Amino acid sequence: AASSGAAAGEEKESPGTKLVAAVPPEIVGNSSGGGSPGLEAGTGSVDGIAAKGSRDQQRWCKRCKLYQPLRTKHCHDCGVCVRTHDHHCPWVGTCVGEGNRLYFYWFLLAQSVELAVFLCEGVFVFFSDDWHLHGELLVDSPGLVFGLVVIGLLLIMVTALLCFHTYLAMANLTTWENISWENISYLRSMQQDCGSPFSMSLRSNLAAYCCPPWCRLEECGCSPNIAGLKRTEDGWAIWELGEPHLPEVLDMNYCCWCCPDLDHA
């Protein structure tokens, strides 16, 4: 029965959840002490963090029956808890989180470039070699005009989303935290304007974003602790609450914002 239940869970699993799941689906809910390496017996805690004494920071997932690591959220669509949860994206059919948010960023960048190229090619149709506008084409090609308007609107939306995720990466925030700050137990007591309690220097924030768990740091020339984070044996980040702050480059009150020291930002 257990094996059939596991098989059913695998069939429902979203394509990207293995990259972002907080714990493997097969040990979710094992709070009775089965000896699973990712769960402490009888506590439902993960990352070797005992639930006792840390319940004010860790959130209890009623569905998975475990204490979630900081920044983890249960996704009802994927059916698993997702590390460093950003959002569930219906366009890619899975959650965006710690394991695949870099892929999502490059996806947005590629879509922005693609839309910009198509928009330029479409606009050039209405101009001659000497940049003279052929007004009659605007009347004779209403479908093309409509298509260009749609492409233009999509370009604005995708580019805005790309800029937003650039800000999130620099500030070490997620979409979920930015939108639901007041509803997150370990964040609601802090002022959101002061920045993320997980934020480090600008360089460390970007390193944490650009070096996901599956990244082989030694092969890309980065030191293992480039982001200054503790990590699990599987490479997942172990987030710790610190003093909320914004990197200097994002702090509008910083007088020398144009020349920040990236190591101390």
Side-chain angles (χ1 to χ4, degrees), residues 9-182:
E10 290 179 0
E11 291 177 359
K12 295 180 180 179
E13 185 177 358
S14 197
T17 52
K18 286 189 176 180
L19 280 176
V20 295
V23 292
E26 61 269 16
I27 65 174
V28 167
N30 180 12
S31 58
S32 59
S36 299
L39 282 170
E40 291 192 357
T43 64
S45 62
V46 292
D47 292 346
I49 303 173
K52 183 178 179 181
S54 61
R55 294 185 184 181
D56 57 330
Q57 295 182 0
Q58 290 185 319
R59 304 165 74 246
W60 174 256
C61 178
K62 296 180 180 179
R63 291 180 176 269
C64 298
K65 308 299 183 184
L66 56 81
Y67 284 99
Q68 301 168 333
L70 292 177
R71 313 190 81 178
T72 299
K73 181 180 181 294
H74 184 88
C75 175
H76 296 283
D77 295 300
C78 294
V80 293
C81 289
V82 180
R83 286 185 180 270
T84 319
H85 181 275
D86 192 272
H87 70 287
H88 182 88
C89 181
W91 306 111
V92 297
T94 188
C95 277
V96 176
E98 184 177 339
N100 62 357
R101 58 182 178 176
L102 182 61
Y103 283 143
F104 183 74
Y105 187 89
W106 286 112
F107 169 73
L108 292 178
L109 180 61
Q111 289 296 304
S112 298
V113 173
E114 181 183 24
L115 289 168
V117 170
F118 282 131
L119 181 64
C120 292
E121 288 183 348
V123 170
F124 289 159
V125 171
F126 297 104
F127 291 88
S128 60
D129 293 337
D130 57 355
W131 293 100
H132 177 72
L133 177 64
H134 296 291
E136 64 278 4
L137 290 178
L138 295 175
V139 179
D140 297 338
S141 306
L144 178 58
V145 174
F146 177 77
L148 291 177
V149 171
V150 173
I151 291 176
L153 293 175
L154 290 174
L155 177 60
I156 294 174
M157 290 188 292
V158 174
T159 303
L161 189 59
L162 177 65
C163 293
F164 176 62
H165 277 270
T166 300
Y167 163 77
L168 293 178
M170 296 171 68
N172 203 340
L173 280 168
T174 65
T175 302
W176 171 52
E177 292 169 345
N178 186 72
I179 295 176
S180 304
W181 187 282
E182 297 297 329

Side-chain angles (χ1 to χ4, degrees), residues 195-215:
S196 171
F198 306 105
S199 179
M200 300 166 285
S201 68
L202 177 62
R203 178 172 296 172
S204 295
N205 288 348
L206 293 177
Y209 190 95
C210 297
C211 297
W214 44 262
C215 179

Side-chain angles (χ1 to χ4, degrees), residues 181-182 186-197 241-242 244:
W181 187 282
E182 297 297 329
Y186 50 83
L187 294 180
R188 63 168 65 112
S189 62
M190 307 177 189
Q191 291 293 329
Q192 188 172 357
D193 294 341
C194 296
S196 171
L241 289 170

